């Protein structure tokens, strides 16, 4: 049974199929059938959890809920049943209901939250997350989203049956750190990426060794970008190949981090006070030089044995 349209303070769930254009171009008939199943799954999940589905957007839907808990439950139930990669965004705020449609800034916010995610991911704005209890949420920090004047605190819903590992959010700021966007697409090597991600999460120091040109730096930077959201102080890259004197390593690292030497103290003694243990990830291009117990990492090449 369809729920009545809520008004006043409303929680909105926006959804979108990731990569839908490519799927339509590759096989329109298959996509047509998949989208029909997608629509039914979303409609059922929304109505079951007290939501009001008020708009279809071609390859997504917009739904309104009287409570954020209903929106989260509907999103989780739908993600467990969907076959297509669907990204979802949830936000709560004042909205005006007119002739079966809604108007208000919160709708734009929900749309932008959704657009920051990836297929299989459920993101919440802090406006909705702050009203919830008993939900496993991962705090992704404040992010700048397109067309929104101030950063929005984002959270990821974590629940049994849902994916937990996603690339960096599609936000205007990728978080702290100094990683630059990759100039080329990263194709293949997914097994190595997965192995390196697991190693970085499990160990404070991971080393990647191999002959020059095998792709160690590109692989490390790709994994760094994918894990950026897990380090509140960001991911930092240090180009140390040109540093030949081990004693100069602290100064080279400090220059990147913006650490200024204090009177009577060496840089090596200052930087542990500047960075909280475990809150940032450091990536170096030189596997032979360990500059700190923080994570400076890469992964052994498949051509080399672990040391």
């Amino acid at each position: 049974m369809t729920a009545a349209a809520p008004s006043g303070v409303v929680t909105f769930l926006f959804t979108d199929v990731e990569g839908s254009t490519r799927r339509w171009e590759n096989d329109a008939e298959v996509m047509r059938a998949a989208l029909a199943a997608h629509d039914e799954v979303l409609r059922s999940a929304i109505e079951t959890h007290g939501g009001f589905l008020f708009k279809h957007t071609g390859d997504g839907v917009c739904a309104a809920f009287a409570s954020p808990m209903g929106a989260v439950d509907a999103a989780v139930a739908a993600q467990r049943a969907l076959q297509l990669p669907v990204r979802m965004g949830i936000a709560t705020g004042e909205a005006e209901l007119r002739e079966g449609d809604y108007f208000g800034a919160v709708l734009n916010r929900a749309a932008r939250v959704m657009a920051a995610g990836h297929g299989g991911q459920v993101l919440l704005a802090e406006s909705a997350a702050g009203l919830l209890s008993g939900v496993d949420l991962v705090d992704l920090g404040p992010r700048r989203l397109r067309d929104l004047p101030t950063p929005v605190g984002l959270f990821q819903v974590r629940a049994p049956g849902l994916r937990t590992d996603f690339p960096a959010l599609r936000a205007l700021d990728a978080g702290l750190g100094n990683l630059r966007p990759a100039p080329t697409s990263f194709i293949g090597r997914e097994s190595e990426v997965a192995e390196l991600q697991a190693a970085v999460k499990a160990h404070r120091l991971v080393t990647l060794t191999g002959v020059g040109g095998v792709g160690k730096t590109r692989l490390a930077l790709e994994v760094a970008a994918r894990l950026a959201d897990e380090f509140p102080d960001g991911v930092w890259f240090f180009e140390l190949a040109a540093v030949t004197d081990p004693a100069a390593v602290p100064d080279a690292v400090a220059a990147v981090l913006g650490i200024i030497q204090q009177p009577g103290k060496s840089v090596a003694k200052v930087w542990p006070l500047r960075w909280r243990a475990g809150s940032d990830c450091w990536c170096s291009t030189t596997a032979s030089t360990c500059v700190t117990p923080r994570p400076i990492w890469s992964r052994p090449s498949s051509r080399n044995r672990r040391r």
Side-chain angles (χ1 to χ4, degrees):
M1 181 177 179
T2 303
S7 59
V9 177
V10 181
T11 297
F12 291 94
L13 167 65
F14 278 46
T15 78
D16 174 67
V17 177
E18 187 175 42
S20 61
T21 300
R22 183 181 67 254
R23 293 174 181 273
W24 277 111
E25 293 294 330
N26 289 342
D27 195 326
E29 287 301 318
V30 170
M31 182 57 178
R32 186 174 291 108
L35 195 59
H38 154 278
D39 291 349
E40 177 58 28
V41 166
L42 283 171
R43 183 197 61 77
S44 176
I46 290 167
E47 292 183 356
T48 297
H49 294 91
F52 172 64
L53 198 163
F54 64 92
K55 184 181 296 184
H56 283 268
T57 60
D59 55 2
V61 302
C62 304
F65 293 80
S67 74
M69 194 69 242
V72 170
D73 287 342
V76 170
Q79 288 288 22
R80 288 171 175 162
L82 286 165
Q83 299 300 310
L84 291 171
V86 176
R87 51 188 178 178
M88 301 183 179
I90 297 173
T92 300
E94 290 276 354
E96 181 183 355
L97 177 62
R98 296 201 308 260
E99 299 180 357
D101 202 355
Y102 286 92
F103 300 86
V106 64
L107 282 85
N108 298 327
R109 191 164 295 251
R112 294 295 179 252
V113 171
M114 176 201 70
H118 301 272
Q121 193 171 28
V122 180
L123 296 178
L124 277 76
E126 58 191 342
S127 58
L131 301 174
L132 293 169
S133 62
V135 178
D136 189 1
L137 299 176
V138 179
D139 187 346
L140 303 179
R143 298 304 175 92
R144 292 179 55 242
L145 305 180
R146 186 166 61 89
D147 298 330
L148 299 183
T150 58
V152 177
L154 295 183
F155 296 79
Q156 177 183 309
V157 176
R158 192 160 50 185
L162 267 60
R163 282 180 56 194
T164 58
D165 191 16
F166 297 94
L169 296 178
R170 295 184 173 98
L172 297 181
D173 52 353
L176 298 174
N178 67 340
L179 290 185
R180 298 177 180 176
T184 58
S185 300
F186 191 85
I187 301 175
R189 304 181 74 178
E190 289 300 322
S191 61
E192 291 183 315
V193 169
E195 186 179 353
L196 181 51
Q197 286 180 309
V200 172
K201 293 178 180 180
H203 305 286
R204 292 174 62 83
L205 175 66
V206 181
T207 301
L208 178 62
T209 61
V211 298
V214 76
K216 302 182 297 298
T217 300
R218 184 66 181 88
L219 175 61
L221 291 175
E222 176 66 21
V223 174
R226 298 191 186 191
L227 292 178
D229 291 335
E230 301 193 17
F231 295 91
D233 284 329
V235 177
W236 299 82
F237 175 73
F238 305 97
E239 181 66 64
L240 300 180
V243 180
T244 58
D245 182 3
V249 170
D251 294 305
V253 173
V256 175
L257 296 175
I259 297 175
I260 300 175
Q261 185 172 351
Q262 299 177 4
K265 295 182 179 180
S266 67
V267 170
K269 292 181 178 179
V270 171
W271 76 27
L273 303 177
R274 171 66 177 81
W275 296 92
R276 302 190 306 273
S279 62
D280 57 346
C281 181
W282 294 7
C283 177
S284 167
T285 57
T286 57
S288 61
T289 305
C290 178
V291 301
T292 172
R294 306 284 199 279
I296 304 176
W297 54 265
S298 47
R299 173 189 170 276
S301 165
S302 58
R303 302 181 186 181
N304 297 272
R305 292 188 298 178
R306 296 182 185 274
R307 299 178 180 179

